[in-house]
Amino acid sequence: MRVTREEAGFGVARGIRFDRRTAPSARARGGRWLAPGRCCASARCSCLRTARGPSTRALSPCRVVYVDTGLNTIKLKGEDSCGRQHLITLKLNAKYPAEPPDCCVDFPVEFAISWIPQSSLVDIYNQFLAALESLKEFWNAMDEIDEKTWVLEPENPTRSATMRRIAIGNNVSINLEVDPRHPTMLPECYFLGADHVVNPLRTKLNNNMHLWDPDITLLQNLKEVLETDFPSRAVLEKTDFTMDCGICYAYRLDGAIPDQVCGDSRCGQPFHQACLFEWLQGLPSSRQSFNVIFGECPYCNKPISVKMSMKKL
Ligand SMILES: [Zn+2]
Ligand SMILES: [Zn+2]
């Protein structure tokens, strides 16, 4: 990779030598994280200039948060118009600028950049900012869900996560798969919980589906069509509506939460899929048909069945 004078100058300004031939010791120390808001020594920040001679342009305002000493890895931050911060990591390979750098982002969709050898890192940064704006509605929808409901899974959702499992009540939850391109449309959803609780919710969803209004938020729509409110973190403790597995007595097992529930309305005991499968497999009275095993609930002895966990296939 060619290192321009501007880039070398930037490196010196940061106390980092980017010239690979002269700075082996600096390189050995690895990259450097830059203090927030203090991306370069100069008050008039004009760092990270492009590697293209006369048409040199600068990233402004400066958004560089990390560079490694070889100037091979650069992390830039960007803010969407709702004030959320995002990072893009650029990895410049030996063929740069004939080939674009590898771009790593935390997006729910593919980040495909357009690149010609005359392109610059500023062009990529601008495409990154445009992509942030195109995903704004999706993150708004997900943020509202994360703030106002009890998200059971994923435990710490990333910006790329399109799935949420939300608690509705005791051992009842809804699993949503949101389309990042159409975040206010009806998402793919399925319910988890005992049949006697889940069936009425399914019926409501089917009957009220036509009321779905893309002009109101995803969460508001869910409330309307399910005719229910979602318990929020603010008012309920996790233990108020989550129960440990009746077999291993844990809540989280290898990242999974108890999502199999005994269908008997007086029992309703939850189990991990793996625990229940193993339990039923060990019972001589159980029988298996294809990938489903049928047996009795360890608590109430009523019939219960479980699908073989995909991990076991
Ligand atoms: Zn378990
Ligand atoms: Zn039971």
Side-chain angles (χ1 to χ4, degrees):
M1 191 196 99
R2 282 184 304 130
V3 177
T4 64
R5 234 181 280 150
E6 287 85 0
E7 282 166 342
F10 164 50
V12 170
R14 294 294 319 142
I16 308 167
R17 299 289 298 260
F18 287 140
D19 190 329
R20 298 177 200 206
R21 292 157 303 176
T22 58
S25 58
R27 227 175 339 130
R29 286 201 303 271
R32 175 171 297 199
W33 288 90
L34 309 179
R38 294 222 39 228
C39 42
C40 79
S42 155
R44 289 176 57 210
C45 167
S46 61
C47 57
L48 202 77
R49 291 181 186 276
T50 68
R52 291 267 133 202
S55 63
T56 294
R57 284 169 290 163
L59 272 176
S60 181
C62 181
R63 295 297 187 191
V64 186
V65 289
Y66 171 92
V67 283
D68 73 346
T69 50
L71 199 63
N72 293 321
T73 304
I74 300 162
K75 287 179 194 282
L76 307 171
K77 72 173 173 194
E79 197 175 285
D80 63 36
S81 56
C82 295
R84 285 174 290 249
Q85 300 261 319
H86 305 266
L87 274 184
I88 179 170
T89 303
L90 306 171
K91 289 201 162 82
L92 282 62
N93 57 37
K95 291 181 180 164
Y96 175 88
E99 285 183 13
D102 291 333
C103 302
C104 182
V105 288
D106 189 13
F107 285 179
V109 292
E110 198 195 341
F111 178 50
I113 57 158
S114 59
W115 180 266
I116 53 169
Q118 289 74 32
S119 298
S120 68
L121 298 184
V122 181
D123 295 321
I124 294 185
Y125 187 72
N126 288 337
Q127 291 176 48
F128 171 62
L129 293 181
L132 293 183
E133 283 315 292
S134 74
L135 289 164
K136 188 178 74 177
E137 296 301 326
F138 167 72
W139 288 318
N140 284 348
M142 301 316 251
D143 278 357
E144 188 186 19
I145 286 174
D146 292 343
E147 279 162 27
K148 297 183 181 169
T149 72
W150 236 123
V151 173
L152 301 175
E153 282 185 297
E155 212 172 3
N156 298 302
T158 59
R159 288 280 170 217
S160 57
T162 54
M163 176 275 221
R164 293 292 189 277
R165 185 187 296 193
I166 311 171
I168 297 180
N170 259 337
N171 305 312
V172 193
S173 56
I174 182 171
N175 201 92
L176 307 174
E177 186 64 50
V178 181
D179 180 347
R181 292 287 177 217
H182 305 101
T184 57
M185 300 298 280
L186 176 66
E188 249 178 70
C189 32
Y190 65 89
F191 296 96
L192 293 128
D195 286 346
H196 69 279
V197 193
V198 158
N199 286 343
L201 288 167
R202 269 195 206 114
T203 309
K204 280 180 190 166
L205 179 64
N206 287 333
N207 292 348
N208 296 337
M209 216 177 256
H210 67 281
L211 298 175
W212 194 275
D213 177 2
D215 292 333
I216 62 171
T217 70
L218 174 62
L219 182 62
Q220 197 55 42
N221 267 310
L222 286 171
K223 285 180 184 173
E224 304 272 331
V225 298
L226 297 176
E227 297 169 17
T228 188
D229 214 348
F230 294 91
S232 79
R233 269 168 212 258
V235 293
L236 280 176
E237 292 292 318
K238 190 160 127 186
T239 47
D240 288 338
F241 58 88
T242 58
M243 279 171 68
D244 296 339
C245 168
I247 294 170
C248 72
Y249 302 113
Y251 180 64
R252 218 165 260 284
L253 176 74
D254 298 334
I257 63 171
D259 59 0
Q260 307 292 307
V261 180
C262 173
D264 185 90
S265 56
R266 282 156 302 174
C267 174
Q269 177 65 46
F271 306 100
H272 292 115
Q273 186 184 23
C275 294
L276 187 58
F277 187 83
E278 231 177 276
W279 172 274
L280 295 178
Q281 222 176 16
L283 291 182
S285 57
S286 296
R287 64 187 176 81
Q288 194 169 336
S289 170
F290 299 102
N291 61 343
V292 182
I293 189 160
F294 300 84
E296 290 167 357
C297 169
Y299 278 71
C300 68
N301 297 326
K302 293 278 160 53
I304 194 168
S305 64
V306 63
K307 263 190 187 170
M308 192 189 294
S309 166
M310 292 308 286
K311 284 179 200 157
K312 291 179 185 290
L313 287 173

